[in-house]
């Protein structure tokens, strides 16, 4: 059986700013029924069980779909 040829590559990526909500946008739209906020952190981070940031928990009204499960 032949061994696969694996080449090292440098990943060049950047966030898509159209898909990231700023704090200002969230505060402005938190009560807007036409805006859906997704929290893509782990369920433990979403509930506040695991705190990896300044504060634990989620934005009120946000839905949790872990990034590993979204496509």
């Amino acid at each position: 059986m032949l061994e696969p040829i694996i080449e090292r590559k440098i990943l060049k990526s950047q966030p898509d700013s159209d898909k990231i909500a700023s704090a200002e946008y969230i505060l402005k739209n938190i009560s807007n029924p036409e805006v859906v906020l997704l929290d893509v952190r782990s369920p433990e981070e979403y509930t506040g069980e695991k705190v990896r940031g300044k504060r634990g928990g989620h934005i009120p009204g946000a839905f949790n779909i872990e990034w590993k499960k979204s496509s």
Side-chain angles (χ1 to χ4, degrees):
M1 189 180 321
L2 295 174
E3 294 280 329
I5 298 172
I6 301 171
E7 295 180 37
R8 182 181 204 118
K9 298 283 183 175
I10 296 174
L11 174 65
K12 295 178 183 176
S13 66
Q14 58 188 23
D16 183 345
S17 59
D18 289 338
K19 296 179 182 174
I20 299 173
S22 67
E24 178 184 1
Y25 178 85
I26 291 169
L27 289 172
K28 182 179 174 184
N29 290 283
I30 200 158
S31 298
N32 184 345
E34 295 185 22
V35 174
V36 177
L37 297 173
L38 296 179
D39 186 325
V40 298
R41 297 173 300 154
S42 71
E44 295 81 16
E45 290 173 285
Y46 178 79
T47 62
E49 183 180 326
K50 182 187 283 186
V51 179
R52 296 180 62 178
K54 215 173 195 179
R55 289 187 248 170
H58 62 277
I59 297 166
F63 292 93
N64 180 233
I65 301 176
E66 187 174 12
W67 69 272
K68 294 179 197 176
K69 297 183 174 139
S70 61
S71 55

